[in-house]
Amino acid sequence: SQAVPQSVPLCSLPDGLTAAHWEWCALEGAMWSKRVLVTCVVWAALAAPAAAGGIAEETGVTGNSAIDLSAFLSGLLFNGCIGVGCLLAFSLLRLRVPRVYANNVVIQKVPFEPAKSFFGWATASVYVSTEQAAEVVGVDSAMLLEFSVLCMRLSGCLAVPLCVILGLLYSLLGGNAAGEDHLGTVDMGNVKQGHPWIPYVQAGIVWGVCIVVHWSLCRAQAKFLPLRFAWLKSLPTPRADTVLIEDLPMDFRSDAELKDFFVKALGDGSVREAHVVKHASELRAAVDKREALRERVHEAELRFQHDGSRPQARLRCCGPKVDVLEQCPDTIEELTERILAERARIRQADQNGDAGVNSGSAFVTFSGRREAELAR
């Protein structure tokens, strides 16, 4: 969710990736690769046994105990059962309560309908592309799916082979430094101190992991950037042209003063609307109360149509019970008059320059995306 670089104007994005896009992608990829590199190096250093001294001893890292293997297997079994249970529950509820667990299928918003079988959703999810997901559930959800796919690919390409290869390497050729620690026989803790060549293999593997992760991140980001730019281009008005401003100085805490400021800075016709957020606690309370009464009247009307009864309720905390269908409409009308009067009072106070009704936040809607980006 990074911002688009200033060298790429939002109002004239090309259909394909330009040199500026690739430059931005390279800079972002380099920044994340440095973080991944530092993380991998630190974890590789911390993986050394505590007896070997160095970083492990300074940080207080200790080796596994003899009972850690059983604890690990118990946790793996417990978490695995929870994961399988969640999959089975979702597969069942998708068929029993489709309005909750498959509503996009019910309203026919998906590119194709999954099979009605127990695991039909799994087959359908494999064939859904990132572009299709972005059209149906939005670009943010599509980005989450793409990130999950990236993590699965990295785990498949790196974690599984490395655990098998390095596990056998440490177990058979490490020197059995773990001793009674059965869990540590497949990690770096089983390599004896001063081993002639395994630490160099480990260092080479760390660099290989960094290269693969770096390449995968850049590839995934380059794939996702067109979707991000297409989403930015398709933002509707006024969302694309409106900017939230916070921490306004007291001199600009009015609609007119704020609009005049941006008009002077960007030119005539650059601002359509400017609204400072108001302090309206009484207005909010009246609106909430009116909506609650409308909901209560609606429920009473449905009950009256169903069985002919006229529900009664207390309109005040300790007040008497009254007929909802008879008393609530009058109360709703009184609240509506109070709401209109409070709104008029707030508008008049703003026009008179009373900064007490205005907060330090505001929404400014500009005439175009160019002006909105300049204001940011």
Side-chain angles (χ1 to χ4, degrees), residues 137-212:
V137 297
V139 70
D140 290 334
S141 298
M143 182 170 60
L144 176 60
L145 292 175
E146 186 67 20
F147 177 74
S148 302
V149 171
L150 173 64
C151 293
M152 289 188 293
R153 287 176 178 171
L154 288 175
S155 298
C157 295
L158 295 175
V160 175
L162 289 179
C163 287
V164 174
I165 297 174
L166 291 180
L168 292 175
L169 182 66
Y170 297 148
S171 177
L172 300 178
L173 304 175
N176 197 26
E180 297 296 328
D181 176 20
H182 300 293
L183 181 61
T185 57
V186 293
D187 62 24
M188 195 68 179
N190 197 46
V191 180
K192 66 179 181 180
Q193 185 176 1
H195 196 283
W197 55 273
I198 285 185
Y200 297 99
V201 174
Q202 177 71 23
I205 291 175
V206 169
W207 278 105
V209 170
C210 293
I211 293 173
V212 173

Side-chain angles (χ1 to χ4, degrees), residues 187-246:
D187 62 24
M188 195 68 179
N190 197 46
V191 180
K192 66 179 181 180
Q193 185 176 1
H195 196 283
W197 55 273
I198 285 185
Y200 297 99
V201 174
Q202 177 71 23
I205 291 175
V206 169
W207 278 105
V209 170
C210 293
I211 293 173
V212 173
V213 172
H214 183 192
W215 177 81
S216 300
L217 286 174
C218 292
R219 181 172 177 269
Q221 187 179 39
K223 178 183 177 182
F224 194 79
L225 279 178
L227 294 178
R228 175 69 175 175
F229 293 144
W231 175 77
L232 288 172
K233 291 171 62 178
S234 63
L235 285 178
T237 302
R239 180 181 179 184
D241 305 333
T242 303
V243 177
L244 169 63
I245 301 175
E246 298 178 306

Side-chain angles (χ1 to χ4, degrees), residues 290-337:
R290 184 182 66 175
E291 294 303 318
L293 289 177
R294 285 178 174 176
E295 183 67 22
R296 182 174 294 181
V297 170
H298 180 66
E299 293 177 358
E301 291 175 347
L302 293 177
R303 183 176 297 181
F304 180 77
Q305 295 174 3
H306 182 262
D307 54 15
S309 63
R310 298 179 68 88
Q312 294 185 350
R314 290 185 175 88
L315 300 184
R316 296 180 180 86
C317 180
C318 299
K321 289 186 176 181
V322 297
D323 191 323
V324 174
L325 295 177
E326 181 179 350
Q327 296 293 331
C328 284
D330 296 337
T331 306
I332 290 175
E333 185 176 354
E334 294 176 1
L335 287 173
T336 301
E337 294 177 357

Side-chain angles (χ1 to χ4, degrees), residues 233-374:
K233 291 171 62 178
S234 63
L235 285 178
T237 302
R239 180 181 179 184
D241 305 333
T242 303
V243 177
L244 169 63
I245 301 175
E246 298 178 306
D247 298 328
L248 283 172
M250 295 297 297
D251 296 339
F252 297 98
R253 292 190 179 183
S254 70
D255 298 348
E257 292 293 337
L258 184 62
K259 184 175 181 179
D260 291 342
F261 171 79
F262 282 104
V263 167
K264 293 178 181 178
L266 301 177
D268 295 335
S270 59
V271 181
R272 287 205 302 265
E273 297 176 351
H275 299 285
V276 180
V277 178
K278 314 297 181 187
H279 294 296
S281 57
E282 295 182 4
L283 178 62
R284 175 65 180 272
V287 171
D288 291 343
K289 186 176 181 180
R290 184 182 66 175
E291 294 303 318
L293 289 177
R294 285 178 174 176
E295 183 67 22
R296 182 174 294 181
V297 170
H298 180 66
E299 293 177 358
E301 291 175 347
L302 293 177
R303 183 176 297 181
F304 180 77
Q305 295 174 3
H306 182 262
D307 54 15
S309 63
R310 298 179 68 88
Q312 294 185 350
R314 290 185 175 88
L315 300 184
R316 296 180 180 86
C317 180
C318 299
K321 289 186 176 181
V322 297
D323 191 323
V324 174
L325 295 177
E326 181 179 350
Q327 296 293 331
C328 284
D330 296 337
T331 306
I332 290 175
E333 185 176 354
E334 294 176 1
L335 287 173
T336 301
E337 294 177 357
R338 285 174 50 189
I339 290 171
L340 295 176
E342 182 65 13
R343 286 175 176 171
R345 184 192 70 81
I346 292 175
R347 292 194 186 99
Q348 187 63 38
D350 178 67
Q351 294 176 0
N352 295 336
D354 184 4
V357 300
N358 295 321
S359 68
S361 302
F363 291 93
V364 181
T365 302
F366 296 88
S367 58
R369 302 191 67 171
R370 176 180 178 276
E371 289 76 10
E373 290 302 317
L374 288 175

Side-chain angles (χ1 to χ4, degrees), residues 14 27 51 53 66 69 73-74 82 96 100 108 130 206 240 281 297 330 335 343 355 359-360:
L27 292 175
L69 179 59
L73 294 177
S74 300
I82 291 179
R96 298 293 182 87
V100 178
Q108 298 181 351
T130 306
V206 169
S281 57
V297 170
D330 296 337
L335 287 173
R343 286 175 176 171
S359 68

